[in-house]
C-alpha cells in the first residue's frame, strides 16, 4: 500500500504543470485592463515616494558618514536595499502593468525575480542584524564597549554575500524564477514544490533561511528588549544626565528598528502566506485576483522606512528641545537664587 501511495504521489508530481506552462503566453495579463492601470499608478506613486525618501536618507547620511554609529550604518544599508528595489525592480512592473502584459521576456523575468529576491533578502537580513545589535546593546551592556564601525562593515559584507548566495542559487539549476499567476510580474518559482521532491526541498530551504529563521531572531530580540526596558527604566533614572542621554539615544534607535521590522513583516507576511500556499497547498487554488493584492502590498515595504525615520526624528527633536528648555529654566532659577 505504501508503495502504491508513493507511486501515486510521484505520478501526480510528474503530471503537474505550473501555470506558466499551461498557457501559450504566460506573460499575458490575467487581470482587466482597468485593474492593470490602477496597479500601475499605485506602483508609480510607491516607487517615486520610495526613491525620494530613501535617496534623501542616503544623501543626509553621506554628509555625516564619518560620524555614523554602527546601528546607523545598518540603517543606511537598509535604505540602499529599498532604493535598489525601487530603481531596479519597480520600473519593470510599472511598464508591464500599463502595457497589460510582461514585455521583457524570460530574461527580463529572471532578472526582475533575482533583483527583487536579492534586495528583499538583503533588507530582511539587515533588519535581523540590527535587531541583534539592539538586543546586545540593550540587554548586554558590555557589548557596546567593543563594537566599532569596522565590525558594522564586516557585517555588511556578510549580509550582501548571504543575499547574493540565496538569490543566485536558483540559477544553478536548483530552482528558478517564473511569472506570477496574473502575468505582469515575476518572482521565485514557488510552484516547483508541486512538481518534485527536490523542488520542495529547495522551497523549504528558502523559507527557513530567508524568512522563518531571520523573523524568529527579530521577534526574540525585541521581546527580550521590551522585557529588559521594563525592568531597567527605574534604574536609569538614578544615573547622571550623560548616561540618561545615551540611554535615550539607544532607545530612539531601538524604536526605529522595531517599527521598521514591523512595517516590513506586515507588508511581506501576506505575500509569504500566499506563496507558501501556492507551493504546498492545492495546485492553482489561489484565485488570480486574490494573489495580486499581497504582491502589491509587499512592493510598498520600501516606502515606509523613510517615513519612520522622520517621525522618530521629529519626536526625538521635540523631546530634546523640551529637555533643553527644562535645563535652561533650572539654570536660570539657580542664578536668580
Amino acid at each position: 500500500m505504501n508503495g502504491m501511495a508513493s507511486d501515486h504521489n510521484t505520478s501526480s508530481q510528474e503530471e503537474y504543470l505550473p501555470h506558466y506552462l499551461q498557457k501559450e503566453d504566460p506573460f499575458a495579463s490575467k487581470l482587466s485592463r482597468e485593474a492593470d492601470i490602477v496597479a500601475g499608478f499605485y506602483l508609480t506613486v510607491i516607487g517615486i515616494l520610495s526613491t525620494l525618501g530613501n535617496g534623501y536618507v542616503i544623501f543626509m547620511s553621506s554628509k555625516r558618514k564619518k560620524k555614523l554609529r554602527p546601528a546607523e550604518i545598518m540603517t543606511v544599508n537598509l535604505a540602499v536595499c529599498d532604493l535598489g528595489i525601487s530603481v531596479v525592480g519597480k520600473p519593470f512592473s510599472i511598464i508591464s502593468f500599463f502595457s497589460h502584459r510582461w514585455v521583457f521576456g524570460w530574461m527580463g523575468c529572471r532578472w526582475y525575480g533575482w533583483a527583487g529576491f536579492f534586495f528583499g533578502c538583503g533588507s530582511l537580513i539587515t533588519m535581523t542584524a540590527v535587531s541583534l545589535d539592539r538586543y546586545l546593546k540593550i540587554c548586554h551592556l558590555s557589548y557596546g564597549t567593543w563594537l566599532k564601525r569596522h565590525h558594522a562593515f564586516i557585517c555588511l559584507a556578510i549580509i550582501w554575500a548571504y543575499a547574493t548566495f540565496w538569490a543566485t542559487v536558483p540559477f544553478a539549476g536548483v530552482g528558478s524564477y517564473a511569472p506570477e499567476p496574473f502575468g505582469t510580474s515575476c518572482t521565485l518559482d514557488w510552484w516547483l514544490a508541486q512538481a518534485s521532491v527536490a523542488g520542495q526541498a529547495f522551497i523549504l530551504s528558502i523559507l527557513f533561511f530567508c524568512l522563518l529563521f531571520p523573523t524568529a531572531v527579530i521577534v526574540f530580540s525585541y521581546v527580550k528588549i521590551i522585557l529588559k526596558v521594563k525592568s531597567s527604566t527605574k534604574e536609569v533614572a538614578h544615573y547622571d544626565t550623560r548616561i540618561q542621554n545615551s540611554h535615550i539615544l539607544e532607545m530612539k534607535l531601538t524604536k526605529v528598528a522595531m517599527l521598521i521590522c514591523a512595517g516590513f513583516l506586515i507588508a511581506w507576511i501576506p505575500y509569504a502566506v500566499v506563496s507558501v500556499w501556492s507551493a504546498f497547498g492545492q495546485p492553482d487554488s489561489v484565485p488570480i485576483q486574490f494573489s495580486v493584492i499581497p504582491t502589491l502590498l509587499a512592493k510598498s515595504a520600501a516606502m515606509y522606512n523613510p517615513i519612520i525615520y522622520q517621525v522618530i526624528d521629529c519626536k526625538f527633536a521635540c523631546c530634546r528641545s523640551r529637555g533643553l528648555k527644562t535645563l535652561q529654566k533650572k539654570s536660570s532659577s539657580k542664578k536668580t537664587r
Side-chain angles (χ1 to χ4, degrees), residues 277-293:
W277 182 257
S278 299
F280 299 102
Q282 291 296 322
D284 304 323
S285 59
V286 179
I288 292 176
Q289 291 76 10
F290 180 76
S291 67
V292 71
I293 297 174

Side-chain angles (χ1 to χ4, degrees), residues 310-329:
Q310 294 303 314
V311 170
I312 296 294
D313 278 339
C314 287
K315 288 185 177 179
F316 185 67
C318 290
C319 294
R320 189 165 51 189
S321 63
R322 287 174 193 163
L324 289 173
K325 288 179 181 178
T326 304
L327 289 174
Q328 288 173 356
K329 288 180 179 178

